[in-house]
Amino acid sequence: GAAGPSSAKKPTKAGGRGGRGRGRGRGRGRGGAAGDKKGKGPAEGAGEAAGEDGKNSEAEVDQKKRKRGLLTRDLKHMMYGFGDVQEPDKETVDLVEDMTLDYVTNFAHRCMEVSARRGKLQTEDLLYLIRNDEKKVQRVNELLDMNMQLKEARKNFSTDEAGIDPAK
């Protein structure tokens, strides 16, 4: 009676993915073509998103060459700041590092695709990709403003300190 219908619903709820969800993250549904590849590993998704079959082997090689632990210390501090224990499991930190590097790598590839027409990567390419995420746009604008202020401060400091001509 009751066991039959509920067991029939379970496979359709999982979407035929073995119980896995759509992918990582909040499930906002953004990401365009790359969003369709979320269930796949980094090597498969990167090559297919580019649309070149030869990229898979290169992506796998890049994955193997990737130095582990470059972000470990910083990620531990960030995780602790967001409520994790002070010394999180190494596997957890490694997973977060892999996810972070995958995100940054895919984002950089998408930026390069956008800038391909011009042949030069510019800040506007990054802003174009994040235009729908208001929080990211605000943060990027804040960082760009801070960068300009720092450039001005360095310029003023170097010219005031030794009387050096900034034109050199």
Side-chain angles (χ1 to χ4, degrees):
S6 65
S7 63
K9 288 183 183 178
K10 284 183 183 179
T12 53
K13 252 187 187 179
R17 295 179 183 215
R20 289 185 354 201
R22 178 170 167 88
R24 299 182 204 125
R26 297 182 189 145
R28 290 182 175 169
R30 288 191 216 140
D36 297 336
K37 311 287 185 223
K38 282 187 177 181
K40 298 186 178 186
E44 294 172 4
E48 291 176 12
E52 297 175 10
D53 294 333
K55 287 283 186 179
N56 284 345
S57 61
E58 291 177 25
E60 289 171 1
V61 170
D62 289 343
Q63 182 73 17
K64 291 176 185 175
K65 284 184 179 179
R66 182 185 292 171
K67 292 183 181 179
R68 296 188 72 84
L70 292 175
L71 303 174
T72 300
R73 191 183 83 221
D74 296 324
L75 285 173
K76 281 183 180 181
H77 292 299
M78 290 173 69
M79 290 168 65
Y80 180 63
F82 281 102
D84 203 346
V85 295
Q86 194 163 5
E87 280 297 321
D89 291 337
K90 182 181 180 343
E91 293 84 16
T92 305
V93 177
D94 289 345
L95 176 65
V96 172
E97 182 178 25
D98 287 343
M99 291 169 58
T100 303
L101 291 174
D102 288 344
Y103 175 80
V104 171
T105 301
N106 290 335
F107 189 78
H109 285 289
R110 287 174 41 212
C111 280
M112 292 300 292
E113 288 172 4
V114 169
S115 69
R117 289 178 226 114
R118 219 182 6 261
K120 182 178 179 184
L121 183 62
Q122 295 180 343
T123 307
E124 289 77 24
D125 301 323
L126 178 135
L127 290 170
Y128 175 77
L129 287 176
I130 63 169
R131 70 192 179 278
N132 295 325
D133 192 336
E134 190 61 33
K135 282 186 176 183
K136 287 180 185 175
V137 171
Q138 287 177 355
R139 180 64 176 150
V140 167
N141 285 329
E142 180 183 333
L143 291 171
L144 290 172
D145 290 341
M146 183 67 74
N147 190 35
M148 291 299 283
Q149 291 174 3
L150 288 171
K151 281 183 181 179
E152 281 295 317
R154 281 190 210 111
K155 180 178 155 185
N156 291 337
F157 182 75
S158 66
T159 58
D160 292 344
E161 182 182 79
I164 300 173
D165 184 16
K168 287 186 179 180

